[in-house]
Amino acid sequence: MADGMVLHPGHDDLHGITVVVAGTSGRTYVGRWHERQPRGVVMRNVAILEAGDGDREEWLAKLRKFGVPDQHRTYVVPEDECAGVERFDG
Amino acid sequence: MSYPEMMIKPMREDVTRLGVTELRTVEDVDQALGNMQGTAMVFVNSVCGCAAGGARPALMMALAGEGKSLDHLYTVFAGQDLDATARARSYFGEYQPSSPSFAFLKDGEVVGFIHRHQIEGRHPEDLSKVIRDQIEAVS
């Protein structure tokens, strides 16, 4: 385990990585990427900013400093809702 | 979900062999962090291979590095020692729970934090520098 490698064979490169998913609805999702399925992106420990519910960059900055509140243990972002994905700590 | 202690033991020992005191109970945590004076690090250890597998060797490298040192080094094991971990997190103020993670405290106040999202996918050598920087900053 000393090399820090991902230890879950069969998962994609983002597995276990906290990401920001931009939603076509205007929602923003932050959580750990689990896997991509036909129904959408399965995420763990997810926080969601609703469209129009505050400044997105300020919200992200707060999460970067204080961490990601675990609003949803597991959440599936529907495939047609995923407008973009980037690493949270990029 | 708790894991068999036999599986956890080496992960605990990866940390305690570095001179880090493991806090297994609420009483342990209160004794260590209640009215704490000086500087301290609390490493929230965890089973997760993705992040913790990198965090433990990074901690080893950071503590082996030259420079300032902290007065107290503590660890709790998330997902295993549930009560102790919850109590430790109660000392972390508005910082959200994540594991693995590192909290850096001065006279009982959190002055630095390394969240899980800052650990994921990072090479242990790179992470050790981040830990080292926090140690230097808090000392």
Side-chain angles (χ1 to χ4, degrees):
Chain A
M1 279 185 220
D3 56 7
M5 290 173 64
V6 172
L7 299 178
H8 299 271
H11 284 290
D12 59 44
D13 289 345
L14 284 176
H15 174 76
I17 302 293
T18 300
V19 297
V20 182
V21 176
T24 54
S25 65
R27 283 176 138 195
T28 303
Y29 309 82
V30 177
R32 272 186 301 126
W33 180 283
H34 181 64
E35 61 184 0
R36 188 161 219 152
Q37 299 179 354
R39 62 183 175 141
V41 173
V42 181
M43 299 172 72
R44 308 283 195 215
N45 310 114
V46 181
I48 300 173
L49 180 69
E50 297 290 342
D53 195 13
D55 184 89
R56 182 179 189 267
E57 292 311 312
E58 283 180 12
W59 182 72
L60 290 173
K62 185 179 178 186
L63 267 56
R64 284 195 174 93
K65 178 171 183 183
F66 292 109
V68 182
D70 187 7
Q71 296 172 345
H72 302 272
R73 187 88 176 164
T74 298
Y75 195 92
V76 181
V77 182
E79 190 59 39
D80 61 1
E81 165 72 348
C82 294
V85 179
E86 60 183 329
R87 278 194 65 148
F88 183 49
D89 194 39
Chain B
M1 179 176 69
S2 292
Y3 293 86
E5 186 57 32
M6 191 173 65
M7 177 185 162
I8 300 298
K9 192 164 176 278
M11 300 175 191
R12 296 187 190 276
E13 291 173 349
D14 278 350
V15 180
T16 56
R17 73 163 60 99
L18 306 175
V20 181
T21 301
E22 189 167 45
L23 309 174
R24 301 284 303 266
T25 68
V26 168
E27 290 74 24
D28 289 346
V29 173
D30 285 342
Q31 193 168 6
L33 300 182
N35 301 312
M36 192 209 83
Q37 296 296 308
T39 58
M41 178 203 73
V42 182
F43 171 52
V44 181
N45 202 354
S46 76
V47 169
C48 175
C50 305
R56 287 186 291 268
L59 177 60
M60 180 186 70
M61 286 183 237
L63 295 181
E66 293 181 0
K68 296 174 182 173
S69 58
L70 301 173
D71 298 322
H72 310 283
L73 299 171
Y74 300 121
T75 183
V76 292
F77 210 115
Q80 199 71 11
D81 298 330
L82 303 179
D83 293 341
T85 302
R87 182 68 106 199
R89 285 171 169 158
S90 76
Y91 287 92
F92 297 166
E94 55 186 317
Y95 289 85
Q96 298 290 330
S98 70
S99 58
S101 60
F102 298 83
F104 297 87
L105 300 94
K106 191 165 193 175
D107 297 334
E109 293 286 319
V110 176
V111 293
F113 210 96
I114 301 173
H115 299 279
R116 180 197 164 103
H117 72 255
Q118 296 168 285
I119 296 171
E120 296 160 347
R122 198 186 283 258
H123 193 279
E125 196 164 315
D126 295 336
L127 179 58
S128 74
K129 291 174 186 161
V130 177
I131 299 168
R132 192 70 238 163
D133 286 347
Q134 288 281 355
I135 292 172
E136 294 293 327
V138 71
S139 298

